[in-house]
Amino acid sequence: MSTTLPNTEPLPSQLDPTPEGAAWLRLLAWLTGIIAAVEAIFLGMIATLVPPLVAGIVLTIVGLVVLRRARRVGIVILGITSLLLLIGSAPFAASHLGHPESAVDFTHAVVGTVGRLLAVIAAVGAWRKASPTGARRLAVAAVGIVCLTVAASSIAMLVSTGDDARADDVTTVIADSYFADTIAVASGDTLYVDNTDLFRHTFTVVDTDIDVELPAAVGVRVPIDLPAGAYDVICDIPGHEHMTAILEVE
Ligand SMILES: [Cu+2]
């Protein structure tokens, strides 16, 4: 004679923490931790405290600590921080994603954009305690994207060597993300713009056709075929609004 026991035990999937939730939590923690580390290195390289990025690093540390004690609160902190920074950094990342030859800016943009997007997905997966299979696939995708990024940037840097200065060029140097205040040339001269930074810039003369991309750590020859006068020069990369100069053409 067989009897049926009442099913009062929780199913494995109802146990807390579930293996599923744990896989997504690990992915969320790794992604947000790596992004925060990359941002800290980037801020060190530009020697500037960018408030949204600093806030992102602090909130990530808080989220990772909270994750151990109040899991759902930690997931919300990390997920929302990743989402807000993904949206807020989009204009900056969009400017850099087409320029793999400038490795620092390009890698920063890829890690920030793809990493935060995956972190948001991981937060949703952790909240819903989704299947661990998805978390593993996402982790593999993240590693693959990093490898592709490094490969693309390395090839682009080898191809993009810039120009060599010629004897009669007028040279101006970009250093620490600043132009010289004033750049003097004669009409018809060629200006050699030497970008000594590890970041990309543009040499853009306002209201003219001169708008030149300056990859990281290369120089570019720019013919100045402009009537005599004073022109405003800018770098039109988002976040580089402080980069201005006056081009005096004689
Ligand atoms: Cu710039």
Side-chain angles (χ1 to χ4, degrees):
M1 179 177 169
S2 66
T3 58
T4 303
L5 293 171
N7 186 12
T8 57
E9 293 295 316
L11 295 170
S13 62
Q14 295 170 321
L15 293 171
D16 191 21
T18 65
E20 291 84 353
W24 287 101
L25 279 177
R26 275 198 300 275
L27 182 61
L28 177 63
W30 273 104
L31 284 169
T32 52
I34 289 171
I35 294 167
V38 168
E39 293 295 13
I41 293 169
F42 179 74
L43 289 177
M45 291 182 76
I46 64 174
T48 305
L49 292 177
V50 181
L53 297 183
V54 174
I57 293 169
V58 171
L59 284 170
T60 299
I61 294 169
V62 170
L64 289 172
V65 172
V66 171
L67 203 60
R68 293 174 159 272
R69 296 152 199 261
R71 191 172 43 166
R72 296 230 148 194
V73 178
I75 292 171
V76 169
I77 293 172
L78 293 174
I80 290 181
T81 299
S82 299
L83 181 61
L84 290 178
L85 285 172
L86 176 66
I87 296 168
S89 64
F92 305 93
S95 168
H96 298 311
L97 287 174
H99 295 280
E101 70 279 4
S102 296
V104 173
D105 291 315
F106 180 71
T107 305
H108 182 225
V110 172
V111 170
T113 303
V114 178
R116 286 180 182 122
L117 181 61
L118 297 186
V120 171
I121 296 171
V124 173
W127 183 271
R128 297 177 61 187
K129 300 178 182 176
S131 157
T133 309
R136 291 191 197 107
R137 285 178 182 160
L138 220 56
V140 171
V143 172
I145 288 166
V146 168
C147 293
L148 280 175
T149 301
V150 172
S153 200
S154 301
I155 293 169
M157 283 171 67
L158 286 174
V159 172
S160 171
T161 53
D163 298 326
D164 291 326
R166 297 185 189 171
D168 50 358
D169 288 348
V170 176
T171 297
T172 186
V173 175
I174 296 176
D176 299 327
S177 291
Y178 278 96
F179 291 116
D181 291 338
T182 303
I183 304 163
V185 294
S187 185
D189 277 352
T190 295
L191 186 63
Y192 184 73
V193 186
D194 188 7
N195 179 16
T196 63
D197 288 338
L198 291 175
F199 315 105
R200 56 180 283 260
H201 299 293
T202 73
F203 183 84
T204 305
V205 184
V206 178
D207 294 332
T208 73
D209 293 335
I210 299 177
D211 181 17
V212 179
E213 171 73 17
L214 301 167
V218 305
V220 176
R221 301 182 75 238
V222 183
I224 307 294
D225 293 318
L226 295 172
Y231 298 83
D232 289 322
V233 176
I234 61 168
C235 170
D236 78 350
I237 292 173
H240 293 207
E241 289 78 12
H242 64 282
M243 291 184 66
T244 60
I246 299 295
L247 176 68
E248 291 182 346
V249 181
E250 296 167 356

